[in-house]
Amino acid sequence: MSVSSVNPAPNSTNEYYLTRQSQMESNVRSYPRKLPLAIAKALGCWVTDVEGTEYLDCLAGAGTLALGHNHPAVIQSIQDTLTSGLPLHTLDLTTPLKDAFTEALLEQLPGGKKEYCLQFCGPSGADGTEAAIKLAKTYTGRSSVISFSGGYHGMTHGALAMTGNLSAKNSVNGLMPGVQFMPYPHEYRCPLGLGGEAGVDALTYFFENFIEDVESGVTKPAAVILEAIQGEGGVVTAPTKWLKKIREVTEKHNIVLILDEVQAGFARSGKMFAFEHAGIEPDVVVMSKAVGGSLPLAVLGIKRKFDAWQPAGHTGTFRGNQLAMGTGLATINTIKEQNLAQNAQERGDFLQAEFKKLAVEFPCIGNVRGRGLMLGVEIVDERQTADHMGSLPGDSQLAAAIQTACFDNKLLLEKGGRNGTVIRLLCPLIITHEECVEVMVRFKKAIAEALVAVRGA
Ligand SMILES: Cc1ncc(COP(=O)(O)O)c(C=O)c1O
């Protein structure tokens, strides 16, 4: 059967496809359990299922679809690449298209190609974080890594070892050894129980002291890896002061600082990269998701001094996806031409303000946070007693019901954070003001319905 002859079966339903999917695919399926639809087509911020129902998509391929679905610039780029006669795949051999994409991508990094070079690796975010860690070990000759609670770096053995969430780790023995976790600042749930500036100051001091303490029990690491905004961990933004200190200390001790920009990268936070908000320059930047403009691609930006690889020191077959480099180039150009970083900032500010207003009406919204179009809404049980920092216990049952009610109201979004209590929005960067208003209309209806379903009120 050719692609063009694959049309939805007459009178087909979501249920028809979901049943077939459950019969043919592993139990590992995740999204279809929370968002039970079969997609027939998609455009911009909208997805249409096989029954003809339209959904507003604030998940956007977990942030991959920076320009939304089937953006004309992305489609044109795919068509141009197909008709250009270029090979679709080239390992790490170069082409004029790859050359142009490489240059355009380097220009996005601080100092551009004078400061950084690129490494194309296997196409997933986890491939990128794995390569970054191997490079840091190669460069320093050291073996351990510092990662942070709440961090997410992928699902392969090394990446999972550096990931905070325990549910995926508990069932897998033998993850990469040598990962030391440290607490990540959290405005609403300060891991030190201090909260506010005092919490940030203490964590900033703690990091420096820990690295410099000759009795810390932890040998000097090869790398520190972190997200400037934790995504899967529940949309937690690193305070500038803390991030600057991490940069200062890692530089002083020649520890490779790896910024995982797989999710926050590419204008989502209101700047091209989330680390730019703190004005720091990482040694290695990991990019995936949006970097391939909807298609699979992962790239490391490496400060030239740290490029310690020997030829073929790290390889991988799928490093040469020309279609993805074309769509990546089209995405960079569109982001720049249409100033989508600013759109992300403005639309995100509007949404945050609206969620904060909604929190007055619905006190089960305990905290609204994020930057640009990387937003988190933490769902709490306000009937319980707040702790000494004013934080209420999370309500994972209600958060799950809100996600379901959003789906029923044709709004696609994700959950994350500790025990899945944070509703997460990763809207396409092209979302309009009118679509944001529509997000809020649907969300408000959904939260009221979920409260009735879970609490009867
Ligand atoms: C920050 C971050 N790093 C790494 C990854 C892993 O990417 P992938 O799922 O493509 O392996 C993700 C995925 O969500 C991510 O958010």
Side-chain angles (χ1 to χ4, degrees):
M1 190 184 263
S2 67
V3 175
S4 58
S5 62
V6 179
N7 288 314
N11 302 322
S12 61
T13 59
N14 290 318
E15 198 185 338
Y16 167 82
Y17 283 104
L18 288 163
T19 304
R20 283 172 59 82
Q21 184 181 25
S22 69
Q23 287 162 351
M24 295 192 286
E25 293 184 27
S26 157
N27 198 42
V28 78
R29 301 176 320 283
S30 63
Y31 286 112
R33 299 178 198 274
K34 296 177 277 185
L35 307 171
L37 80 166
I39 300 175
K41 56 185 181 178
L43 191 63
C45 297
W46 297 88
V47 159
T48 309
D49 71 14
V50 289
E51 297 173 18
T53 305
E54 282 200 323
Y55 303 77
L56 191 42
D57 186 3
C58 291
L59 173 57
T64 302
L65 302 156
L67 303 185
H69 295 276
N70 293 319
H71 190 280
V74 168
I75 298 300
Q76 187 63 54
S77 151
I78 293 173
Q79 283 165 346
D80 290 349
T81 306
L82 289 179
T83 52
S84 69
L86 276 172
L88 291 180
H89 178 69
T90 65
L91 299 165
D92 64 350
L93 298 169
T94 198
T95 68
L97 173 57
K98 183 181 189 186
D99 183 89
F101 172 65
T102 304
E103 186 161 50
L105 185 53
L106 278 168
E107 275 169 20
Q108 309 313 313
L109 292 162
K113 63 183 169 204
K114 190 162 164 281
E115 294 291 327
Y116 287 87
C117 61
L118 296 189
Q119 177 189 356
F120 290 85
C121 50
S124 74
D127 290 324
T129 55
E130 295 274 355
I133 288 301
K134 278 178 62 182
L135 175 60
K137 290 182 178 180
T138 305
Y139 173 79
T140 59
R142 301 185 208 124
S143 58
S144 63
V145 178
I146 288 182
S147 187
F148 291 90
S149 45
Y152 185 86
H153 302 292
M155 281 282 167
T156 52
H157 266 59
L160 186 56
M162 301 185 291
T163 288
N165 190 307
L166 295 179
S167 58
K169 295 174 101 162
N170 281 336
S171 51
V172 184
N173 284 324
L175 295 174
M176 178 179 77
V179 184
Q180 172 74 33
F181 278 85
M182 294 189 70
Y184 188 94
H186 196 314
E187 200 186 311
Y188 189 63
R189 298 196 183 280
C190 174
L192 300 184
L194 293 170
E197 280 299 298
V200 175
D201 287 347
L203 285 164
T204 306
Y205 175 83
F206 180 51
F207 181 82
E208 182 170 29
N209 187 60
F210 185 79
I211 296 292
E212 301 202 331
D213 181 6
V214 291
E215 292 276 345
S216 71
V218 176
T219 53
K220 205 188 274 182
V224 166
I225 185 167
L226 59 87
E227 298 155 87
I229 305 174
Q230 292 187 336
E232 303 298 306
V235 194
V236 186
T237 303
T240 295
K241 187 193 288 181
W242 178 81
L243 207 44
K244 277 187 183 296
K245 177 59 80 179
I246 290 196
R247 175 62 291 188
E248 183 193 312
V249 173
T250 47
E251 190 164 19
K252 181 172 164 198
H253 292 276
N254 209 20
I255 298 164
V256 180
L257 178 60
I258 302 168
L259 260 291
D260 181 344
E261 290 277 339
V262 167
Q263 188 165 133
F266 267 58
R268 176 157 297 285
S269 72
K271 291 195 185 287
M272 200 61 180
F273 298 104
F275 64 75
E276 290 177 44
H277 293 278
I280 61 160
E281 291 187 12
D283 302 324
V284 178
V285 183
V286 187
M287 298 169 267
S288 186
K289 292 197 193 284
V291 80
S294 317
L295 298 179
L297 194 69
V299 190
L300 301 189
I302 303 170
K303 268 259 167 99
R304 290 189 175 276
K305 162 181 168 194
F306 297 90
D307 186 20
W309 291 121
Q310 291 299 312
H314 186 83
T315 64
T317 303
F318 287 110
R319 288 173 288 163
N321 185 341
Q322 298 300 297
L323 285 174
M325 292 178 200
T327 49
L329 181 59
T331 299
I332 292 173
N333 291 339
T334 308
I335 286 174
K336 293 287 155 190
E337 283 158 20
Q338 299 184 4
N339 202 356
L340 292 181
Q342 193 181 336
N343 193 56
Q345 188 65 62
E346 289 173 5
R347 302 287 84 75
D349 286 350
F350 169 79
L351 286 168
Q352 272 217 45
E354 291 298 303
F355 279 118
K356 283 180 180 159
K357 279 189 222 160
L358 209 58
V360 178
E361 197 177 335
F362 295 96
C364 62
I365 296 180
N367 189 237
V368 178
R369 53 183 186 252
R371 261 198 174 126
L373 287 171
M374 193 161 173
L375 294 171
V377 178
E378 183 154 349
I379 305 301
V380 297
D381 188 346
E382 75 282 9
R383 301 163 303 178
Q384 309 282 327
T385 313
D387 67 14
H388 64 284
M389 295 180 292
S391 319
L392 287 151
D395 189 337
S396 46
Q397 194 195 357
L398 182 58
I402 293 171
Q403 185 185 32
T404 304
C406 283
F407 179 77
D408 294 342
N409 282 286
K410 319 305 174 212
L411 175 63
L412 305 181
L413 38 71
E414 178 53 321
K415 287 188 293 114
R418 281 140 178 106
N419 302 311
T421 52
V422 182
I423 302 288
R424 301 198 304 125
L425 290 94
L426 291 164
C427 315
L429 308 183
I430 51 146
I431 194 166
T432 62
H433 175 72
E434 290 67 30
E435 286 167 331
C436 289
V437 170
E438 190 57 37
V439 169
M440 293 312 304
V441 169
R442 293 177 190 217
F443 189 86
K444 185 173 176 180
K445 194 157 171 287
I447 198 166
E449 288 170 10
L451 276 165
V452 172
V454 174
R455 298 187 189 165

